[in-house]
Amino acid sequence: MKKKILLIAALLTLGTACTTAKPKVSEPTAKINMVSNENNDIARFANQSVLGTVWVRDSGEYRALTHQAYNSGKSYLKEIVKDPINKDKKLAVVLDLDETVLDNSAFAAWQAVNHKLYSSKDWARWVNAKEATEVPGSVDFIKTAKELGFEVFYVSNRSAELTVPTIENLKKIGAPFADEDHVLGKTTTSNKAPRLKSIEDKGYTIVLLGGDNLDDFDSVVHHKLNIDRRNHVEDMKDNYGTKFIVLPNPEYGGFDSGIVEGYYQLSTGEKVETRKKVINPWDGK
């Protein structure tokens, strides 16, 4: 009888040990590690943008370059109006909005310090807050264009659903042409070619385009790799500083997705490593 009692006790102890040990290798533990790694990758990804955001928000060089771009634009427009060939034409200037007229670096800073990846929901909250400031030199340029007789259109890849707060933000910084006739947001495609054509279809001749992304100037490079984008710049180099004015933006843009084919299908960690590879570092020897 005593042996049976000892055997039952031993079996109960073994069963308890097995029950206790099971959670140590359970699936939830693996999931926690996966979440932890993903959070770490997101933090690394966000931290890579910090220096660019510091440059935009704090440096004198950023402001110098935006003024330089818009000064060259004003000089070009003054030459255009002097040319007799343009007499009696409806002349138009087309500008991108984000990082061209509206400075969203405060939103980029919020993403960086809070380790936030881009989300349309967060972006909509930012747009509706109407706290974007003026890209230095942009409003003065637009006012000059208006005084010279040019019509200015804003062709943006902000969703058309955000047109109302966008117009209100433009009015807040004092930008002319802040109305639904001149603010053309994205509807079905981020390719700007159809919207540029809609302006031309109204009888306008577009003489100058301003933007921070090569896609703002020519749809040929839309969703293309950086090698194609660099080659296109070489082909069009005589237009920069005249018909095309480029604003500096180290925070985001086609240059990032242009690193490698299928960039947006990569995990956050893979994007971090891909960015490291593409800069082709010195081997230290």
Side-chain angles (χ1 to χ4, degrees):
M1 183 68 179
K2 186 176 181 181
K3 289 183 179 180
K4 286 183 179 181
I5 292 172
L6 290 174
L7 180 59
I8 291 171
L11 289 172
L12 287 172
T13 302
L14 180 60
T16 302
C18 291
T19 303
T20 304
K22 190 174 181 181
K24 294 181 180 179
V25 292
S26 65
E27 187 179 350
T29 304
K31 287 184 177 179
I32 289 170
N33 288 336
M34 287 173 63
V35 171
S36 178
N37 289 336
E38 176 64 10
N39 287 341
N40 184 52
D41 287 340
I42 290 172
R44 291 166 63 208
F45 188 83
N47 285 337
Q48 287 183 347
S49 69
V50 170
L51 187 58
T53 303
V54 167
W55 187 74
V56 170
R57 292 188 66 73
D58 200 49
S59 78
E61 288 81 359
Y62 167 73
R63 299 180 68 88
L65 286 174
T66 62
H67 284 300
Q68 177 176 271
Y70 279 119
N71 284 340
S72 66
K74 285 191 286 187
S75 296
Y76 184 64
L77 292 186
K78 290 173 183 177
E79 292 300 316
I80 289 292
V81 295
K82 291 178 184 177
D83 193 336
I85 198 173
N86 292 316
K87 187 180 180 181
D88 300 325
K89 287 184 179 180
K90 293 170 63 177
L91 302 177
V93 170
V94 173
L95 298 177
D96 172 54
L97 277 179
D98 296 311
E99 286 34 90
T100 300
V101 177
L102 295 174
D103 175 359
N104 303 286
S105 59
F107 176 70
W110 174 82
Q111 287 180 288
V113 299
N114 290 285
H115 297 164
K116 294 282 188 177
L117 300 178
Y118 174 83
S119 81
S120 57
K121 183 178 179 180
D122 286 335
W123 173 248
R125 287 198 307 115
W126 163 254
V127 172
N128 279 294
K130 294 167 283 191
E131 292 186 19
T133 55
E134 173 200 357
V135 169
S138 61
V139 172
D140 181 60
F141 169 78
I142 298 163
K143 288 179 177 178
T144 299
K146 183 179 181 180
E147 290 169 3
L148 292 171
F150 295 89
E151 199 87 0
V152 178
F153 292 89
Y154 305 104
V155 179
S156 169
N157 276 334
R158 287 186 172 201
S159 169
E161 296 176 357
L162 297 171
T163 297
V164 172
T166 297
I167 289 172
E168 291 175 358
N169 203 156
L170 285 169
K171 289 179 178 178
K172 187 176 179 180
I173 66 170
F177 301 103
D179 56 55
E180 291 189 2
D181 291 332
H182 294 87
V183 177
L184 307 180
K186 180 178 68 175
T187 52
T188 58
T189 177
S190 59
N191 188 333
K192 295 187 174 182
R195 281 169 282 165
L196 296 179
K197 186 177 184 304
S198 74
I199 295 170
E200 293 172 335
D201 288 345
K202 293 177 182 177
Y204 290 97
T205 299
I206 299 172
V207 297
L208 182 148
L209 297 103
D212 64 302
N213 192 323
L214 293 183
D215 298 35
D216 297 328
F217 308 104
D218 197 333
S219 61
V220 170
V221 295
H222 187 59
H223 290 167
K224 291 296 182 71
L225 293 176
N226 282 341
I227 180 63
D228 302 309
R229 297 165 73 85
R230 293 196 302 270
N231 289 338
H232 185 69
V233 168
E234 288 302 311
D235 293 339
M236 306 294 288
K237 61 185 178 183
D238 292 338
N239 287 316
Y240 293 102
T242 54
K243 185 177 180 180
F244 300 157
I245 55 171
V246 185
L247 283 301
N249 178 9
E251 295 175 316
Y252 67 90
F255 73 91
D256 197 18
S257 59
I259 292 174
V260 66
E261 198 76 50
Y263 180 82
Y264 289 122
Q265 280 70 56
L266 299 178
S267 68
T268 306
E270 289 170 332
K271 287 176 182 176
V272 170
E273 295 307 315
T274 300
R275 284 175 169 183
K276 286 181 182 178
K277 289 178 183 177
V278 77
I279 59 177
N280 194 22
W282 175 49
D283 63 9
K285 297 178 182 178

